[in-house]
Amino acid sequence: MAKLAKLDDIVSLCKRRGFIFQSSEIYGGLASCYDYGPLGVELKNNVKKAWWKSTVQMRDDVVGLDCSILMHPMVWKASGHADKFADLIAECKKCNSRSRVDHLQDKDAEHSDEHTTHADIDAELATAHDMSNKVCPACGAVGQFTEPMPFKLMFETQMGANVDDSMLVQLRPETAQGIFANFKNVLDSTRVKIPFGIAQIGKSFRNEVTTKAFIFRTREFEQAELEFFCEPGTDEQWYQHWKEARFNWYLDLGIKKENLHFRDHDPDELAHYAKACVDVEYKFPFGQGDWQELEGIANRTDYDLRQHQRGIRSLNNWFESDKDLIRTKLIEESEDYLKGPLSYFDDQNKKRFIPYVIEPSAGIDRSALAFLVDAYDEEEVRGETRNLLRFHPALAPVKVAVFPLVKKDGMPEIARRIYDDLKGLFNCFYDEKGAVGRRYRRQDEAGTPFCVTVDGQTKEDNTVTVRDRDSMDQTRVNTTQLRTFLREKLDL
RNA sequence: GCGGGCGUAGCUCAGUGGUAGAGCGUCACGUUGCCAACGUGAAUGUCGUGAGUUCAAGUCUCAUCGCCCGCUCCA
């Protein structure tokens, strides 16, 4: 029986065994930033590899991409992030709750202006906001607000070493826009035909108002995103397809079924671009055992490609607004937008359309955390606690550890040869120090699926023992068959 | 951002204003022949950081940073 892991146990194990450290720890840490240690980087890379394998390698209809983190600022105007990511917030002095200023309602008003546009932050700040009559939606206090303060959810930086000459650019808040911006490049260079997808793994940055729970919500994080382009009308079918495919991916990599479920978004929580969205949620051991999002699968419709068709025609407005994204006006969609540069021509049916997009968007860091938490186990063995990580072999940082039973009688030399032979196939670890039982247990805690041990019998009949992490059972295998045996067991 | 809790060795934690500690882990040597064995020894501390009070601060005060829990937020 798997023990329910406490987050503290996981954090402690991560530090102790070199999975995850806090960033800049020797300086007291930097909030919300974490580093992956020697075992952690292997785990994380394996998560990415597994995603890439199932999403790109094993499919005939998906190609990969790796975009720069910095993009033309107008990308974020067209995508909507430049506007939607900046708000004026005021805080109620009485109950400390925060509200968007444009959502606040006057004492005598009948309803608030729910859909006020996100205006120029500087202009808004310069405008006097009469807060004296505003009602706090949380506690009902009137006129108790702080001065409005601006919130920018995108990271900004300067491009160009000459400070006077540098341009304000943003760190991408999602990798998806790099895919949309390259849609035409991929079409023109790869002979793909709709339906097809473009996949990408990479870092994104969001100035979250609140970070949370270890590596679960961080301001710098890694995403694995697929934009799957399909003909309008077939979108629902592909939405279902990817829902199922992505859910099974987690199960196939060992996540326990009872810890994973779907949560459909209510229509009013849908993002501005989405027609439908479902989250794959994992039951994390923080909070009150809350279900938390690992991945969102959204039907983004043709919103993004249409927006970029507007964006690329709006460059002059951007220059004329002194490159101020908020003041820049996007040109209205042209009447024949269906024939625009980001449209697709279906040769077979002689049809032109703007593709719909199904987007499975997974958080790599939070997936890695889920795999860690889910694999964590403690069990009683002869009155002692055995800590282990029951990783799926594909995710295990080290696949095989090789030991001499004792450090003498030529055993280390043989073990060393076996190790050298195996390490070209997959990540291996050699250890000859101390008692073999301790070495086994250490590997259990790192999640290593198999330990190969050279003993006295090895010299006589050329066999070694292969010890299984989960059952602790041992099998004798001839060294000539060892590679095949392990490959099969590891499914590599 | 608010409220609560916490921060001492790699980890878990003890420490009454008066010499910096334990268990586990790590390392070395010996022993050992299959599951965190045993023996001997060793290394590891800006007590989160900075000020203040005091003859004296890990301990009291203030500030600050970080983590956890609960609100709040989450395109």
Side-chain angles (χ1 to χ4, degrees):
Chain A
M1 265 306 284
K3 194 192 162 196
L4 177 70
K6 294 266 185 303
L7 186 63
D8 280 347
D9 296 335
I10 300 289
V11 174
S12 165
L13 178 127
C14 283
K15 168 98 192 277
R16 196 169 69 242
R17 296 309 306 264
F19 280 97
I20 298 164
F21 308 120
Q22 195 180 7
S23 167
S24 316
E25 196 185 70
I26 60 169
Y27 283 98
L30 179 64
S32 164
C33 296
Y34 292 88
D35 301 338
Y36 287 81
L39 286 181
V41 65
E42 298 293 342
L43 171 65
K44 187 178 175 185
N45 281 343
N46 289 341
V47 171
K48 289 194 273 190
K49 270 189 234 165
W51 185 88
W52 196 265
K53 185 174 180 186
S54 92
T55 311
V56 182
Q57 186 184 337
M58 299 301 285
R59 295 191 65 109
D60 306 331
D61 55 358
V62 176
V63 295
L65 195 65
D66 184 39
C67 306
S68 65
I69 286 171
L70 304 176
M71 297 185 72
H72 192 290
M74 276 299 283
V75 167
W76 311 116
K77 181 66 183 183
S79 72
H81 290 88
D83 298 328
K84 294 274 198 299
F85 268 50
D87 291 311
L88 279 184
I89 305 269
E91 190 170 304
C92 174
K93 292 175 198 162
K94 213 167 169 188
C95 69
N96 293 316
S97 70
R98 291 171 164 190
S99 308
R100 267 174 60 173
V101 170
D102 57 334
H103 282 185
L104 290 176
Q105 133 180 19
D106 278 329
K107 193 179 160 205
D108 305 319
E110 281 169 19
H111 57 270
S112 60
D113 304 327
E114 266 298 329
H115 297 291
T116 311
T117 49
H118 302 254
D120 177 351
I121 287 272
D122 296 327
E124 280 286 315
L125 270 182
T127 316
H129 284 268
D130 180 11
M131 307 297 289
S132 64
N133 212 19
K134 298 287 185 190
V135 184
C136 174
C139 71
V142 179
Q144 295 292 311
F145 285 99
T146 61
E147 279 304 302
M149 37 195 173
F151 266 61
K152 281 187 176 177
L153 274 64
M154 273 196 291
F155 279 73
E156 291 179 339
T157 189
Q158 299 84 241
M159 198 161 84
N162 182 339
V163 178
D164 298 330
D165 246 1
S166 68
M167 178 166 78
L168 186 72
V169 293
Q170 292 76 26
L171 309 192
R172 65 183 177 198
E174 62 175 22
T175 63
Q177 296 306 324
I179 295 178
F180 296 126
N182 277 293
F183 173 68
K184 195 168 154 42
N185 283 338
V186 173
L187 266 188
D188 293 346
S189 58
T190 62
R191 302 170 62 221
V192 287
K193 283 194 171 12
I194 276 181
F196 77 96
I198 304 177
Q200 168 164 229
I201 297 176
K203 292 253 182 155
S204 293
F205 302 82
R206 299 178 187 179
N207 265 320
E208 301 284 354
V209 176
T210 322
T211 56
K212 192 178 175 182
F214 200 36
I215 59 169
F216 181 78
R217 178 172 293 128
T218 51
R219 296 193 169 109
E220 172 181 345
F221 60 102
E222 193 144 21
Q223 293 184 298
E225 294 195 297
L226 167 69
E227 307 303 324
F228 193 84
F229 301 93
C230 60
E231 186 176 345
T234 65
D235 49 314
E236 176 60 22
Q237 158 203 337
W238 283 110
Y239 179 66
Q240 294 303 331
H241 169 86
W242 282 109
K243 247 182 95 165
E244 192 186 338
R246 292 303 308 147
F247 195 82
N248 288 335
W249 182 79
Y250 293 98
L251 296 181
D252 291 345
L253 286 171
I255 294 281
K256 297 179 195 74
K257 212 180 251 171
E258 65 266 28
N259 291 334
L260 201 68
H261 75 188
F262 281 123
R263 190 183 67 81
D264 282 303
H265 281 214
D266 291 333
D268 63 350
E269 71 173 314
L270 287 175
H272 59 283
Y273 52 74
K275 175 176 158 187
C277 186
V278 63
D279 286 345
V280 177
E281 293 191 328
Y282 180 77
K283 196 173 183 188
F284 277 103
F286 44 75
Q288 291 167 333
D290 273 347
W291 293 92
Q292 301 280 353
E293 175 190 359
L294 289 180
E295 166 159 0
I297 298 147
N299 183 344
R300 290 183 84 127
T301 71
D302 54 1
Y303 177 85
D304 299 278
L305 291 176
R306 282 167 67 174
Q307 282 295 105
H308 286 301
Q309 288 196 152
R310 296 174 66 191
I312 56 185
R313 290 163 57 226
S314 306
L315 278 170
N316 272 347
N317 291 358
W318 180 61
F319 282 116
E320 280 161 17
S321 314
D322 296 326
K323 302 185 176 177
D324 181 332
L325 285 183
I326 309 269
R327 267 167 44 213
T328 302
K329 282 223 158 48
L330 272 190
I331 286 180
E332 285 304 314
E333 198 162 43
S334 68
E335 290 205 10
D336 59 348
Y337 72 88
L338 282 170
K339 294 180 180 167
L342 300 183
S343 68
Y344 176 83
F345 185 69
D346 178 344
D347 274 302
Q348 226 155 16
N349 300 309
K350 308 293 177 212
K351 266 202 303 194
R352 188 173 280 281
F353 57 87
I354 308 272
Y356 264 45
V357 175
I358 306 302
E359 177 199 74
S361 171
I364 291 293
D365 307 88
R366 44 180 74 174
S367 295
L369 181 60
F371 286 123
L372 256 168
V373 168
D374 213 66
Y376 185 79
D377 200 5
E378 288 176 15
E379 60 176 30
E380 289 293 310
V381 178
R382 286 185 259 285
E384 298 268 342
T385 304
R386 186 169 82 110
N387 290 326
L388 69 159
L389 290 168
R390 300 187 189 273
F391 284 133
H392 185 282
L395 299 181
V398 177
K399 313 300 185 196
V400 176
V402 183
F403 310 143
L405 182 59
V406 285
K407 198 178 156 184
K408 60 181 186 185
D409 300 338
M411 293 181 209
E413 289 75 7
I414 300 172
R416 193 86 216 183
R417 273 202 298 278
I418 292 173
Y419 165 72
D420 285 336
D421 179 53
L422 292 176
K423 70 184 180 190
L425 295 181
F426 31 67
N427 248 356
C428 294
F429 184 79
Y430 177 79
D431 193 1
E432 58 182 26
K433 308 272 176 65
V436 75
R438 179 182 295 263
R439 283 178 265 156
Y440 285 147
R441 297 302 177 84
R442 265 199 289 247
Q443 292 306 313
D444 288 340
E445 214 179 31
T448 306
F450 296 105
C451 295
V452 170
T453 303
V454 170
D455 57 18
Q457 201 180 321
T458 307
K459 274 192 287 186
E460 292 163 25
D461 63 4
N462 211 26
T463 59
V464 291
T465 63
V466 177
R467 182 259 196 189
D468 178 86
R469 174 195 66 204
D470 295 335
S471 64
M472 296 194 287
D473 290 343
Q474 286 173 276
T475 320
R476 287 210 80 88
V477 178
N478 195 291
T479 53
T480 54
Q481 270 125 50
L482 193 56
R483 276 174 161 242
T484 319
F485 179 88
L486 289 170
R487 260 186 169 151
E488 234 164 69
K489 288 271 188 187
L490 291 164
D491 197 21
L492 289 172

